[in-house]
Amino acid sequence: MHMPLEDTLGLNLLAANDHQADHNREHFDAWRLLCLNVMSSPGAGKTSLLEQTLTALSADLAMAVLEGDMTTQLDAERLEAVGVPVIPITTGRACHLDAAMVSGGLSLLQQRLDPASLDLLWVENVGNLVCPTAFDLGEDLRIAVLSVTEGEDKPLKYPALFKTADAVVINKTDLAAAVAFERDSALANLRTVAPQAQLFELSARTGDGLGALQSWILGQLVACR
């Protein structure tokens, strides 16, 4: 029995991506560079979270960002204002970053600095709860961001994102009461779907809870080295 053509093409695509991801990972290892892949739906607060975290950690760490977006460089411009190197990656119709795009971004980054001089590389993925999950970028860790405005059922509806996450951030906690966010249900859903993930509840807008996430990132950096 022959495999349908679309399934064959999908497997070939992922195999090629995984091959490139392995190359990316080799580079990160050689540079002793921790790479974090941040994923969420549009509007969950990835960019705000990065703005605050980059600002807080920039005094102690050398960092850069690969910023994925489908059509604009607006988020890249926001992060550049923090004062760290940012490489925008415009994906066009693609709803995710893949390993080849990240490799291209790394080449552009190398034109500006030596990656070995960095401690931490952030990859802000395209806003999507499904597509980015399937594509290994060569990253060390995945951070999934869930906003309270999205509802507590998203881990059950989109389990793949949360199952592959090393950390899950529940963002916009300052809005939880206003949107009647059912915290206990959200936590139960996350424990069911993603028991492996470290969990952080915070507000990127107010800064409440950000310290715990930043401490975790610093701990991961030490472990990486």
Side-chain angles (χ1 to χ4, degrees):
M1 181 177 180
H2 294 290
M3 183 178 295
L5 178 60
E6 59 270 20
D7 291 343
T8 302
L9 292 174
L11 289 174
N12 290 340
L13 175 63
L14 288 177
N17 180 84
D18 290 347
H19 182 68
Q20 181 61 61
D22 288 338
H23 281 298
N24 294 347
R25 192 172 290 109
E26 289 171 0
H27 287 308
F28 296 145
D29 289 344
W31 294 327
R32 300 182 69 189
L33 178 58
L34 182 68
C35 180
L36 306 180
N37 180 8
V38 185
M39 298 181 287
S40 78
S41 65
K46 294 189 304 299
T47 306
S48 296
L49 181 64
L50 276 172
E51 283 179 312
Q52 296 296 329
T53 305
L54 290 168
T55 300
L57 297 179
S58 59
D60 299 312
L61 300 178
M63 298 176 287
V65 181
L66 303 184
E67 174 61 44
D69 209 328
M70 293 183 69
T71 58
T72 74
Q73 296 185 15
L74 296 175
D75 289 343
E77 292 168 0
R78 285 175 59 185
L79 296 179
E80 279 187 329
V82 176
V84 300
V86 179
I87 302 298
I89 303 175
T90 304
T91 65
R93 294 185 178 183
C95 57
H96 59 273
L97 291 175
D98 61 27
M101 295 176 192
V102 168
S103 177
L106 290 173
S107 296
L108 292 174
L109 182 63
Q110 285 181 281
Q111 296 176 20
R112 298 178 58 179
L113 53 81
D114 178 4
S117 68
L118 296 173
D119 301 300
L120 192 59
L121 178 68
W122 296 86
V123 178
E124 182 175 355
N125 220 310
V126 178
N128 191 298
L129 286 174
V130 180
C131 300
T133 306
F135 290 85
D136 181 7
L137 306 181
E139 73 269 32
D140 295 289
L141 299 168
R142 288 184 170 188
I143 299 176
V145 182
L146 171 68
S147 166
V148 301
T149 58
E150 297 173 81
E152 53 283 331
D153 59 350
K154 290 300 179 292
L156 301 181
K157 289 186 174 181
Y158 302 95
L161 173 64
F162 299 95
K163 283 181 177 180
T164 62
D166 297 282
V168 174
V169 172
I170 299 179
N171 190 24
K172 304 186 182 181
T173 53
D174 54 309
L175 300 178
V179 298
F181 180 67
E182 297 181 9
R183 177 179 179 270
D184 290 344
S185 295
L187 295 179
N189 293 340
L190 286 169
R191 291 190 191 102
T192 298
V193 172
Q196 81 292 340
Q198 290 287 321
L199 181 62
F200 301 94
E201 300 176 72
L202 57 85
S203 168
R205 187 182 70 84
T206 68
D208 184 45
L210 273 170
L213 174 63
Q214 292 159 8
S215 295
W216 179 80
I217 292 170
L218 291 172
Q220 295 303 310
L221 184 59
V222 171
C224 172
R225 294 180 170 177

